[in-house]
DNA sequence: AACGGAACCTGAAAGC
DNA sequence: TGCTTTCAGGTTCCGT
């Protein structure tokens, strides 16, 4: 499910629960007895660094989440692994099983292959322009490539393109410098907005009961565009749903 | 190397 | 109500 903001929230939670404490029980026996030094994140990957050189990598996939439990509490439904330390018990739960939970002694390839992370490295307009210009595909699809900007998923891409008034089908090599600058601003804003949704120990997601859709266009096909009132349209791009406004995200800018 | 599409899973929501 | 279809915020693999 999650994109950069949800994963960053998970990172902060895990850090709060586990950092500084010694692992007493874990999905991998090799981790027991080591102290949790830090919890870092790049894109949608989480990495826990332990004192004797072990590393835990976690990707939430579509439906993964980390829950805070007491060590004596029973196994969760769909629990795929746990990490107990300092009286806390973090449970990795993932119904759809697209997520990952790995114990390694070195960085995994997927982690090393990630492009710049907007929070860790900053999102630089020139770097974004270079990465996009090197590709020949639609902007929307390029934004989902984790080598372009780490952590962008379908929601952030959809929201940022709407912000920047760019048609998701526009080719990466045809974007103007102004459009790329607007896109970078749109991504930063969407990330900040996403981060602001999260507080406390529990992850929150769009589909959670009673929750309103907090996004401007994502999941709002058929509704009026919040900017120009034209009807938002849903198309499929790279096998994923994409919502946009055909009036204020025009194919051509001039 | 890069692209487009299918595959991997399961649950929830919508459609009939 | 119950069965069927569609959709889901992610990555990876495969053929071109």
């Amino acid at each position: 499910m999650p994109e950069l903001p949800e994963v960053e929230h998970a990172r902060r939670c895990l850090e709060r629960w586990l950092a500084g404490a010694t692992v007493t029980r874990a999905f991998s026996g090799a981790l027991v007895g080591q102290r949790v030094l830090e919890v870092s994140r790049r894109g949608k990957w989480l990495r826990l660094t332990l004192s004797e050189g072990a590393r835990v990598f976690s990707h939430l996939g579509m439906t993964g989440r980390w829950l805070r439990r007491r060590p004596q509490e029973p196994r969760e439904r769909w629990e795929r692994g746990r990490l107990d330390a300092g009286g806390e018990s973090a449970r990795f739960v993932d119904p759809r099983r697209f997520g990952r939970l790995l114990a390694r002694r070195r960085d995994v390839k997927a982690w090393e292959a990630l492009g710049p992370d907007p929070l860790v490295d900053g999102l630089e307009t020139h770097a974004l322009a270079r990465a996009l210009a090197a590709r020949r595909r639609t902007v929307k699809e390029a934004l989902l490539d984790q080598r372009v900007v780490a952590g962008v998923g379908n929601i952030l891409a959809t929201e940022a393109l709407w912000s920047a008034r760019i048609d998701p089908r526009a080719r990466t090599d045809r974007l103007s410098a102004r459009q790329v600058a607007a896109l970078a601003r749109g991504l930063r804003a969407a990330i900040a907005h996403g981060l602001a949704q999260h507080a406390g120990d529990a992850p929150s997601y769009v589909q959670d009961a009673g929750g309103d859709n907090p996004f401007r266009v994502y999941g709002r096909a058929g509704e009026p565009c919040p900017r120009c009132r034209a009807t938002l349209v849903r198309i499929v791009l790279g096998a994923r749903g994409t919502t946009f406004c055909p009036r204020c995200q025009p194919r051509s800018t001039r």
Side-chain angles (χ1 to χ4, degrees):
Chain A
M1 34 172 88
E3 302 186 18
L4 190 153
E6 291 74 33
V7 183
E8 174 61 17
H9 180 251
R11 187 197 70 75
R12 293 172 186 175
C13 287
L14 288 171
E15 185 166 78
R16 204 161 57 234
W17 305 338
L18 306 175
T22 299
V23 176
T24 51
R25 181 173 169 183
F27 65 96
S28 163
L31 306 173
V32 174
Q34 300 192 39
R35 211 158 56 85
V36 179
L37 299 182
E38 67 168 354
V39 184
S40 40
R41 181 197 56 77
R42 286 191 67 81
K44 300 167 195 167
W45 280 94
L46 290 166
R47 183 184 68 182
L48 288 80
T49 309
L50 306 196
S51 55
E52 315 293 319
R55 294 165 202 192
V56 172
F57 288 89
S58 163
H59 193 294
L60 304 182
M62 293 275 264
T63 53
R65 41 172 66 184
W66 282 94
L67 301 178
R68 183 187 186 190
R69 291 290 179 267
R70 310 255 69 182
Q72 65 271 21
E73 287 185 90
R75 182 197 169 90
E76 290 290 311
R77 188 180 184 195
W78 304 306
E79 182 177 309
R80 294 189 63 201
R82 63 190 288 169
L83 210 47
D84 294 13
E88 301 282 353
S89 180
R91 311 287 177 87
F92 182 61
V93 174
D94 181 22
R96 204 168 157 188
R97 300 161 56 112
F98 284 177
R100 312 290 300 276
L101 181 62
L102 308 163
R104 291 288 137 86
R105 294 199 62 84
R106 44 170 303 177
D107 287 344
V108 295
K109 284 211 184 92
W111 173 274
E112 291 173 334
L114 295 169
D117 180 278
L119 294 186
V120 178
D121 311 301
L123 179 56
E124 220 256 302
T125 302
H126 286 319
L128 179 61
R130 227 172 307 133
L132 291 176
R135 275 153 238 266
R136 301 289 171 93
R137 56 195 320 192
T138 66
V139 209
K140 172 70 190 320
E141 291 171 283
L143 285 174
L144 297 182
D145 184 336
Q146 299 300 294
R147 292 169 298 184
V148 174
V149 182
V152 176
N154 211 23
I155 293 181
L156 290 180
T158 297
E159 296 287 298
L161 287 167
W162 177 82
S163 264
R165 301 175 187 253
I166 298 170
D167 186 318
R169 298 164 296 185
R171 312 295 298 189
T172 46
D173 51 332
R174 304 280 300 274
L175 295 176
S176 69
R178 289 178 70 95
Q179 285 179 308
V180 176
L183 186 53
R185 283 195 302 276
L187 285 168
R188 289 186 209 106
I191 290 166
H193 181 253
L195 285 172
Q197 306 293 315
H198 303 282
D201 283 340
S204 70
Y205 300 104
V206 183
Q207 74 266 23
D208 284 357
D212 295 322
N213 176 350
F215 305 108
R216 313 299 294 275
V217 291
Y218 174 80
R220 294 191 183 281
E223 295 179 31
C225 170
R227 192 163 47 207
C228 78
R229 314 310 291 174
T231 302
L232 297 172
V233 168
R234 180 184 184 276
I235 60 170
V236 174
L237 225 44
R240 11 228 343 179
T242 298
T243 305
F244 73 107
C245 173
R247 185 190 292 166
C248 61
Q249 291 172 265
R251 232 179 216 295
S252 152
T253 43
R254 55 207 132 199

